[in-house]
Amino acid sequence: SSTRVLGSASPGETADEDTVPRPESVPARTLWETENLIRSTFPSASIVRAAGIYGREDSRLVDGVLSGRAVNYRRWTNRIHCRDLIRVLEALLFTSDPPQLLHAADSWPVQLGEVVGFLASALNVSAPPDLREEPEAGRRIDNTRLHDFIGSLDFPTFRHGYRHQLRDPAPARLR
């Protein structure tokens, strides 16, 4: 997720496009340096920070639920369905006055335990174990600017997106 450029925060803290990035990891610093290079080279370019992209056939989270891989249930997560992200990028190409920065995230930041519980139920498997020793972490991404730009999302929450993904013809592992 390119929203990692924001760095850590108090658990559940909300971030929007005005939040000052504090990249901590090497990948986050690389993203931040890349954003700055783009801004200095192409001053009118739009930067899109996509949350976790899902909705394709390959899904690390779905695979993890199916395999029972333990996760931190208290980790705040943000995601965007790939079709909604494509709509955002398309709209940016065809607007005369695009925003300089957009956080591409759906309308429901949620703790990971709720997501894996939903997927486990939809896949008719047991929910993966919770890494109970890990504390609450992560932040919530505010998508107000995205909504102002593109309007409603086709998949406003993970429930809408994963229901669609699991209903579509899928690879053998999801049948």
Side-chain angles (χ1 to χ4, degrees), residues 40-126:
S40 65
T41 307
F42 306 102
S44 64
S46 294
I47 303 289
V48 177
R49 293 180 184 151
I53 303 167
Y54 75 104
R56 304 169 304 240
E57 284 183 4
D58 61 324
S59 174
R60 200 173 89 187
L61 187 56
V62 170
D63 290 345
V65 169
L66 288 170
S67 69
R69 184 175 55 234
V71 298
N72 178 354
Y73 278 35
R74 289 155 307 288
R75 177 161 194 71
W76 283 95
T77 63
N78 301 271
R79 59 196 36 79
I80 183 100
H81 193 280
C82 59
R83 284 190 13 201
D84 284 324
L85 181 57
I86 289 167
R87 282 186 52 225
V88 170
L89 298 174
E90 239 175 23
L92 286 168
L93 289 173
F94 296 106
T95 188
S96 60
D97 188 26
Q100 292 289 298
L101 177 63
L102 276 178
H103 286 167
D106 73 15
S107 301
W108 197 358
V110 64
Q111 290 182 312
L112 190 53
E114 186 173 341
V115 181
V116 297
F118 171 82
L119 287 172
S121 177
L123 294 164
N124 200 29
V125 298
S126 296

Side-chain angles (χ1 to χ4, degrees), residues 17 67 131 156:
E17 290 82 355
S67 69
L131 295 170

Side-chain angles (χ1 to χ4, degrees), residues 1-7 16-23 26-51 100-104 145:
S1 158
S2 58
T3 57
R4 78 175 60 197
V5 73
L6 296 167
D16 63 15
E17 290 82 355
D18 295 323
T19 301
V20 176
R22 292 187 177 85
V26 171
R29 285 191 297 274
T30 301
L31 286 166
W32 181 237
E33 290 166 7
T34 303
E35 283 187 17
N36 288 320
L37 178 62
I38 290 168
R39 283 187 189 96
S40 65
T41 307
F42 306 102
S44 64
S46 294
I47 303 289
V48 177
R49 293 180 184 151
Q100 292 289 298
L101 177 63
L102 276 178
H103 286 167
R145 194 173 296 178

